[in-house]
Amino acid sequence: MWACVTRPASPEWDEWPQRGHDAANSWSSRDPLKGSAFVPRWWTGCRPATSSAAVLLASGRLALVGLAYKNAPEQTPFIQVLDAFTGVELWAKAGAKELPLDRTPGLYSNRENCCDSLVLGSKLYVLAGAACHLFDLDTGRTLAVWKLPAEA
């Protein structure tokens, strides 16, 4: 028998749901905690595109959203969602077949992390080329895909 142990977020913890922390790009957390005696020690494994992945922390989840690289079509793009406290992978989608998102590195510099992903509550929004994709943060299920107008 297997169990997935997770922990709800504490109201004292601040979230980092998008690049720049918040809509104002303040780059500063309101988290009053300086640290704790418990420090998780886990590693998600190595996969292509982790250095350019967006890293989002919200709702007790750590979401990594990677770009698509032509030399790694079976592994990129990817979305990996972990429990923020244990490091347990809750779900992942990887590769052009499973996750056909237009997220080529030509849209970004090689030194800039992706800044086109956002977590709101239990929803993950990912901009990819000419569409915005909405995923359920807990299950990975695609909830909607919105095509963007050409002038956007």
Side-chain angles (χ1 to χ4, degrees), residues 65-67 77 99-104 107-108 116-117 125-133 135 145-148:
V65 183
L67 298 175
L99 195 63
L101 302 182
D102 179 18
R103 293 179 53 78
T104 57
L107 300 172
Y108 311 92
D116 57 3
S117 305
Y125 295 82
V126 178
L127 182 63
C132 182
H133 300 258
F135 298 94
V145 177
W146 298 287
K147 300 288 183 192
L148 302 178

Side-chain angles (χ1 to χ4, degrees), residues 41-77:
R41 307 261 189 239
W42 45 266
W43 172 250
T44 65
C46 184
R47 68 169 77 218
T50 52
S51 65
S52 63
V55 179
L56 310 169
L57 179 62
S59 303
R61 306 291 184 249
L62 181 66
L64 303 164
V65 183
L67 298 175
Y69 290 90
K70 290 180 184 178
N71 62 345
E74 294 180 8
Q75 299 167 304
T76 68

